[in-house]
Amino acid sequence: MERKIIYQIKTEEAGLRVDQFLHRRSYSRKNLAQLKNCSNSTRINGKSCRLMDRLSVDDILEVSITEKNCSENIPATALPLTIVYEDEDILVVDKPAGLPIHPSKDNYYYSLANAVMYYYRNCSGFVFRCTNRLDRDTSGLTVIAKHAVSAGILGTMVKESGNQSGSISRLFMEREYTAIACGEIIPASGTIDAPLSLRLPRQTALLQTDADTDDGVLPERSIERCVDFEHGERAVTHYRVLEAKNNYSLVSILLETGRTHQIRVHMAYLGCPLAGDYLYNPECRRAATKGCIELPAAQISGFEGKQRAINIPCVHVPPDINGISRQALHASRLKFTHPISGKIMEFRSPLPMDMQRLKAQAFHS
């Protein structure tokens, strides 16, 4: 993967060293170290320069990014991929429910990473870097960086989304979700500021559920989270109820932080777990059963096994519990500063069909 980025130096930037200029553009220390160790990676007015060289007004600074490594441990799999936007720096994808972001020990071939690696199978040196990760059964928008610089800058946006002060105030990322929760949320809008930590075995969670028994169904128990005011990391969720009827609430949610399972745990903490959530909704948890997805081996590039299909383990919630067989959570809007151009980018994704059906049943009966 090769990318050349061009900057024209403005009056207020004159006198800065190259590394200072790039730092102001939110290049990470790792990015700068990579540029320093790569010959001819930076040029001023067509001539090779060092990171310590000074810039003048109207100088043309050229940054060359060359990546020859690739995500060799992620097999390319021919899976459907809904691309919302693509340029030289980023890829925005609308992920379906049921598809993990990354492969795992029990699922080596069926993930968004596998699908993206297949999409870029003819490119040399593509590394999969997903910025705003979604849970397997959460659908919606996610952005993938196409090189190390955009990955570093987007990563900064995610980390600093709740703190827009200081030198990176020009960067931001807004992540809005639409959810359907069980119960009436009171008050109808507010902020949940409740720290989260990994839920340990036999831990007494502040998350109020009756689902503490080990039913042997939950392969995600190792990453289950809980509200923990003593040891948890800060987690902040802003919510607004859009509609409430028949003991269901349609909710718009903005993330200030991005902890694992944050929305799911916070909604359950309010006493209104997400419909279909087998980890944090006690009713769904009791009804959840193990299942599998059958992936034809022919879809996997270079597969050398003898079997015709690969079984991918999953968990299934009967749709008659809440009217949906996965957590009713969708990443519906993504707004952020483009990592290279600085342009404000905004993308929206409509509710998927299963959430549309649940909404119709719950709010219009």
Side-chain angles (χ1 to χ4, degrees):
M1 181 69 67
E2 294 185 357
R3 171 75 165 105
K4 291 185 185 297
I5 304 172
I6 307 296
Y7 301 100
Q8 184 170 7
I9 307 307
K10 301 176 183 178
T11 301
E12 61 271 22
E13 298 163 337
L16 292 175
R17 299 194 310 265
V18 172
D19 61 345
Q20 292 174 327
F21 173 85
L22 295 177
H23 180 69
R24 290 192 177 189
R25 292 294 185 279
S26 295
Y27 281 56
S28 67
R29 290 182 179 180
K30 184 178 180 180
N31 292 152
L32 295 176
Q34 290 170 335
L35 292 175
K36 183 178 180 179
N37 294 329
C38 184
S39 60
N40 296 320
S41 61
T42 54
R43 291 175 173 269
I44 299 176
N45 302 325
K47 296 182 180 180
S48 182
C49 68
R50 301 169 300 171
L51 293 183
M52 65 180 68
D53 289 344
R54 299 280 176 176
L55 295 163
S56 301
V57 178
D58 292 331
D59 275 349
I60 301 298
L61 174 63
E62 179 182 302
V63 177
S64 297
I65 303 167
T66 302
E67 294 187 339
K68 297 181 179 180
N69 296 328
C70 65
S71 299
E72 296 179 350
N73 293 326
I74 303 178
T77 307
L79 300 171
L81 189 64
T82 302
I83 296 174
V84 177
Y85 175 83
E86 181 180 13
D87 62 23
E88 292 179 287
D89 306 298
I90 61 173
L91 177 72
V92 180
V93 173
D94 199 341
K95 185 186 84 69
L99 186 69
I101 293 289
H102 292 98
S104 60
K105 179 181 178 181
D106 297 323
N107 172 19
Y108 194 50
Y109 302 107
Y110 187 76
S111 73
L112 181 64
N114 297 111
V116 171
M117 293 307 295
Y118 184 84
Y119 180 68
Y120 290 117
R121 64 193 182 280
N122 295 323
C123 294
S124 59
F126 183 82
V127 177
F128 180 79
R129 301 179 177 98
C130 187
T131 301
N132 61 316
R133 301 177 184 179
L134 304 177
D135 295 339
R136 180 191 64 200
D137 289 332
T138 297
S139 54
L141 298 168
T142 187
V143 58
I144 297 159
K146 294 180 68 173
H147 53 76
V149 171
S150 59
I153 297 173
L154 287 168
T156 298
M157 293 183 205
V158 173
K159 291 178 183 177
E160 300 292 338
S161 59
N163 176 22
Q164 293 303 322
S165 61
S167 61
I168 61 166
S169 59
R170 70 183 186 88
L171 300 177
F172 75 95
M173 180 177 287
E174 290 181 1
R175 293 162 288 172
E176 183 176 0
Y177 293 73
T178 303
I180 300 177
C182 297
E184 182 181 359
I185 300 175
I186 301 175
S189 64
T191 296
I192 309 165
D193 190 343
L196 304 182
S197 68
L198 187 66
R199 189 176 189 184
L200 302 175
R202 297 185 179 182
Q203 178 180 359
T204 301
L206 293 177
L207 172 65
Q208 297 299 316
T209 76
D210 59 356
D212 291 327
T213 57
D214 186 359
D215 50 23
V217 168
L218 304 170
E220 291 190 45
R221 178 172 288 278
S222 62
I223 61 169
E224 190 177 350
R225 262 56 178 178
C226 67
V227 171
D228 183 347
F229 285 97
E230 185 176 358
H231 304 292
E233 295 181 295
R234 187 166 186 254
V236 181
T237 303
H238 307 282
Y239 73 89
R240 179 170 57 93
V241 176
L242 304 175
E243 189 175 354
K245 188 176 182 181
N246 299 328
N247 205 37
Y248 284 98
S249 297
L250 180 68
V251 193
S252 172
I253 296 170
L254 278 173
L255 285 182
E256 184 170 319
T257 57
R259 308 300 179 195
T260 300
H261 297 177
Q262 178 174 316
I263 294 173
R264 299 164 66 183
V265 177
H266 275 175
M267 288 295 102
Y269 176 68
L270 288 184
C272 298
L274 299 186
D277 190 342
Y278 74 85
L279 271 182
Y280 303 105
N281 186 328
E283 187 177 15
C284 300
R285 185 174 186 132
R286 287 190 293 267
T289 58
K290 292 180 180 178
C292 69
I293 299 168
E294 193 173 84
L295 176 67
Q299 291 183 236
I300 305 169
S301 296
F303 183 73
E304 298 178 354
K306 296 181 180 180
Q307 60 266 52
R308 294 183 179 180
I310 305 296
N311 288 327
I312 310 298
C314 67
V315 174
H316 179 76
V317 176
D320 58 347
I321 299 295
N322 290 140
I324 192 168
S325 59
R326 52 102 178 185
Q327 69 255 17
L329 184 61
H330 180 67
S332 53
R333 185 175 69 90
L334 193 59
K335 184 177 181 180
F336 58 92
T337 311
H338 191 283
I340 304 302
S341 71
K343 180 181 177 182
I344 304 303
M345 315 291 289
E346 184 170 12
F347 306 97
R348 296 178 183 271
S349 171
L351 284 182
M353 288 303 300
D354 59 350
M355 287 186 66
Q356 289 187 38
R357 286 193 297 267
L358 174 57
K359 180 183 174 184
Q361 294 169 6
F363 299 103
H364 300 291
S365 58

